[in-house]
Amino acid sequence: MLQKRDSVVLDLRKSVGFLSIPGELLSGLVRYLDNARSPKNKNIVDILERLQQLEKIGASDMDQPLEELNRDLKRYQFRPWVLPHYDQNWHTARWGVIWCSGRPGRDPMQAGEALDTIFDLARAGQLSRLRRCAHCTNWLFARSRHQIFCSTKCQQKHYTKTEAFRAHRRQYMRHRYYEQSAPRGSKNTD
């Protein structure tokens, strides 16, 4: 899980500087995607999944899906909201702009903020790091390229369902049963 003070710096390749996305914004986006129940919120998840599909297909097959996606994006309107980012001495270190569709500074995240964060990830070429957990299908932002589980708990639960784990567990339980059923004074020579 992302900690509140974490910040992910994404390389924008061939552009000036880096894009910094605060960890709390990424955590908010993951919560937003996991809790998308209303049709408006489900539309944002749909847009994200369509963007991820567009990254996988070739340029020749992209025209119609891209046109449909841009048509659906026309309904979203945003206004900029400027926020200062402070250093340790409470001096303005830099400025940030959030494109809000609603009132900023509230929790949970609104559709416009979620969409803007998704576009930031897409501009940085890191959209594929936003993915679903292989076990519980909750959304996660992968801190490493090979991460496929949202937590250690999901990773362990997934592993316990594999045939390799089941074979190991059968062998362990047979050995344990043999040790417990042996007479107390006898030596076990395994």
Side-chain angles (χ1 to χ4, degrees):
M1 176 162 245
L2 297 172
Q3 296 189 2
K4 288 200 175 220
R5 294 181 191 228
D6 284 352
S7 182
V8 176
V9 178
L10 305 171
D11 183 5
L12 280 174
R13 301 181 194 141
K14 299 181 185 174
S15 68
V16 179
F18 292 91
L19 174 66
S20 178
I21 301 177
E24 63 265 11
L25 196 58
L26 290 171
S27 295
L29 176 61
V30 169
R31 277 193 310 273
Y32 178 89
L33 295 171
D34 281 339
N35 297 322
R37 307 237 188 302
S38 72
K40 182 180 177 181
N41 296 352
K42 286 181 182 179
N43 285 341
I44 301 297
V45 173
D46 179 54
I47 288 169
L48 169 62
E49 290 171 342
R50 287 164 57 191
L51 275 172
Q52 289 176 329
Q53 289 172 356
L54 283 172
E55 284 188 337
K56 294 177 184 174
I57 63 175
S60 61
D61 301 330
M62 193 178 283
D63 291 338
Q64 185 181 2
L66 191 59
E67 185 178 311
E68 290 172 4
L69 179 62
N70 283 324
R71 186 184 63 236
D72 290 344
L73 287 172
K74 284 182 182 178
R75 76 175 98 175
Y76 295 98
Q77 297 179 4
F78 304 99
R79 66 174 187 260
W81 191 268
V82 179
L83 299 170
H85 295 274
Y86 299 106
D87 62 11
Q88 302 89 313
N89 300 322
W90 290 95
H91 294 102
T92 303
R94 59 187 169 87
W95 291 92
V97 177
I98 299 175
W99 295 92
C100 299
S101 59
R103 198 176 72 242
R106 76 270 152 249
D107 197 24
M109 181 178 275
Q110 297 296 315
E113 200 172 2
L115 205 50
D116 185 49
T117 306
I118 289 168
F119 290 145
D120 282 345
L121 290 169
R123 278 191 294 272
Q126 301 293 325
L127 194 59
S128 63
R129 292 178 66 183
L130 199 56
R131 56 183 73 140
R132 290 190 181 266
C133 176
H135 180 72
C136 69
T137 69
N138 283 339
W139 285 93
L140 69 114
F141 180 78
R143 304 292 272 170
S144 60
R145 293 178 198 262
H146 66 275
Q147 182 181 354
I148 59 172
F149 299 105
C150 64
S151 65
T152 305
K153 184 178 178 180
C154 278
Q155 182 180 12
Q156 290 171 347
K157 282 186 176 186
H158 185 77
Y159 176 67
T160 59
K161 293 181 179 180
T162 64
E163 189 54 42
F165 174 80
R166 289 179 178 168
H168 172 73
R169 185 73 179 170
R170 279 192 299 272
Q171 182 182 6
Y172 167 77
M173 292 307 286
R174 283 185 189 128
H175 181 59
R176 184 171 173 175
Y177 176 78
Y178 175 74
E179 282 183 345
Q180 288 181 350
S181 64
R184 294 243 176 216
S186 68
K187 288 247 182 185
N188 187 357
T189 57
D190 236 357

